[in-house]
Amino acid sequence: VLDVIKQGRYTAASVMQIYQMSALDSLSRCLSLLTLYSDGVKYSPAQMMTLSVLYTLTYAATHSSNPQQKSPLTACSPPSSVLHPSIWVSVLGQFLIQSFCSIVATRKAKVYLGEGFSVEELGGVTQFKPNVVTNVVVLMALAEQAAVLLANYKGDPFMTPISKVPLLQATVFLLLGGGLALLSEAFRPLNRLLNMAEFSSSDLKGWTLGAMLFCVFGSLAWDRIAVFVFDERLWKERRSR
């Protein structure tokens, strides 16, 4: 009976988790495409494929966890509806934080885009041309995906903590480590493979790094605040472990 209850709670928590992650992914992708469209630029095929693979890996990684088997059964249950304040307040706050970070970083990038930059069209279709705005949008997309995973993965007390799921840890490392590697230009062949333009200023790198870090840790902090305020029982249960 206890195993059935734990499995049920794991399933309910997984559903809420997927709802939150899907909502944030849809909103952040919309913002990214809107940013690119407004400046007349676009992703390269390599960038689109890389982001799509990482998005897929993120969702696959969340299903590699299992219900908590060794922990004792508690009175705490996951929210029963996406309309629970701890869910929708968390999603709204995370989206605002991620949007703010993305807007700040891309506006800074536009300063370094250069007056001589212009897009090219072939047969009425805009052709990709490496530029720093696309660079920043790609890096922010990686940071946003890492933030979505870290902030919305339910973990204790319903499923295996992220610290004990190697695939989730590897996914976070790919998203954040890959983003930092591209930003630092430490592996230039990787930047060229993903059609990244050369960063023309260390100031732009600093602003982008700050936006990425605030996006991740700000989203994580906001979700915990929403749980603390609107789901006190879950907050106390997590603190006791």
Side-chain angles (χ1 to χ4, degrees):
V1 175
L2 294 181
D3 286 342
V4 172
I5 295 174
K6 288 181 178 181
Q7 183 67 53
R9 289 180 174 178
Y10 167 81
T11 302
S14 296
V15 170
M16 293 300 108
Q17 172 180 285
I18 292 299
Y19 278 147
Q20 286 181 275
M21 294 177 65
S22 298
L24 286 166
D25 277 342
S26 298
L27 291 169
S28 62
R29 290 192 199 187
C30 178
L31 180 64
S32 297
L33 294 174
L34 180 62
T35 300
L36 293 173
Y37 179 79
S38 65
D39 290 296
V41 294
K42 60 190 295 185
Y43 287 126
S44 73
Q47 292 168 353
M48 281 289 292
M49 180 61 70
T50 300
L51 291 176
S52 297
V53 169
L54 290 175
Y55 288 147
T56 302
L57 178 60
T58 298
Y59 282 93
T62 61
H63 292 287
S64 64
S65 63
N66 295 296
Q68 282 282 40
Q69 297 294 341
K70 297 181 179 180
S71 300
L73 186 65
T74 69
C76 181
S77 299
S80 59
S81 170
V82 293
L83 299 179
H84 192 282
S86 66
I87 299 294
W88 69 263
V89 170
S90 174
V91 170
L92 178 60
Q94 289 181 63
F95 173 64
L96 292 176
I97 290 171
Q98 293 171 18
S99 298
F100 170 77
C101 293
S102 180
I103 290 171
V104 168
T106 51
R107 283 187 177 179
K108 192 67 176 179
K110 291 176 185 178
V111 176
Y112 296 93
L113 188 59
E115 296 181 358
F117 179 83
S118 61
V119 296
E120 300 176 358
E121 292 190 0
L122 182 62
V125 178
T126 302
Q127 301 300 298
F128 172 78
K129 185 176 181 180
N131 61 90
V132 291
V133 171
T134 304
N135 282 13
V136 169
V137 172
V138 169
L139 293 175
M140 290 307 303
L142 295 175
E144 288 163 5
Q145 190 65 21
V148 166
L149 177 57
L150 288 171
N152 298 287
Y153 179 74
K154 297 307 179 185
D156 272 333
F158 310 118
M159 56 184 67
T160 311
I162 195 170
S163 59
K164 297 181 180 179
V165 186
L167 185 56
L168 283 173
Q169 296 176 28
T171 302
V172 173
F173 176 79
L174 281 175
L175 292 168
L176 293 180
L180 293 176
L182 291 171
L183 178 63
S184 65
E185 299 179 297
F187 307 99
R188 292 188 180 275
L190 178 61
N191 287 63
R192 289 194 291 269
L193 179 65
L194 294 181
N195 308 123
M196 303 285 280
E198 183 176 349
F199 281 94
S200 56
S201 168
S202 58
D203 180 54
L204 177 58
K205 286 186 177 182
W207 275 88
T208 305
L209 176 60
M212 292 172 68
L213 294 177
F214 188 78
C215 173
V216 173
F217 293 107
S219 297
L220 183 60
W222 179 262
D223 177 75
R224 300 306 183 259
I225 291 172
V227 172
F228 173 75
V229 174
F230 298 107
D231 199 342
E232 186 177 359
R233 178 179 290 181
L234 176 57
W235 172 262
K236 290 182 177 179
E237 182 63 32
R238 285 177 171 173
R239 293 289 293 176
S240 65
R241 292 173 179 266

